[in-house]
Amino acid sequence: THETRMRFTRREFWRGAWSAWLLFMIVLTGVLVVTGILQSGPPWGSAFSSVSLFLLYGIPLGGVVSILVMLAGSPLAWGLGRLLARTDHAAAHLLAFAGLGAAIGAAVAATAILGQPSAPHFVVVSAACALSVAGGWYWTFWRSQQERKPWGSNS
């Protein structure tokens, strides 16, 4: 019906959550590589050693923390999705989920988990989370639209 056209099933919801997590891990890897390159040089060593060190610690730590954050934030995403179920405009959903991701990223960056984050660090974490949550929503939306098409339909 029109009232539930944009409502996700549980399977679609978890597809979006895990897609957001995977996208976050891809973004995190890129950020760690760039940070390792920018932080290299005396006294820290070569770019290879800095990047290796950042990835060695950043990927496992970021993976665990981001899974916990995803699980803790899932009820918020589920509630937001239910609030927006009657809204047909994909852009409204995309912006709302990007906002949720940015808010979650800001909350995580402000916690003691990361120590005292600098302003650029705060912005990067918030932006990575906004991109990831919006990307997870978009991937799920796109896949659900593809699954609802009749077989052999090219439109």
Side-chain angles (χ1 to χ4, degrees), residues 82-109:
R82 292 194 50 106
L83 283 172
L84 294 171
R86 295 181 182 190
T87 304
D88 283 344
H89 302 288
H93 288 255
L94 200 58
L95 289 172
F97 279 92
L100 176 63
I104 290 171
V108 169

Side-chain angles (χ1 to χ4, degrees), residues 99-126:
L100 176 63
I104 290 171
V108 169
T111 65
I113 293 171
L114 303 172
Q116 291 286 31
S118 63
H121 180 86
F122 192 84
V123 170
V124 168
V125 171
S126 297

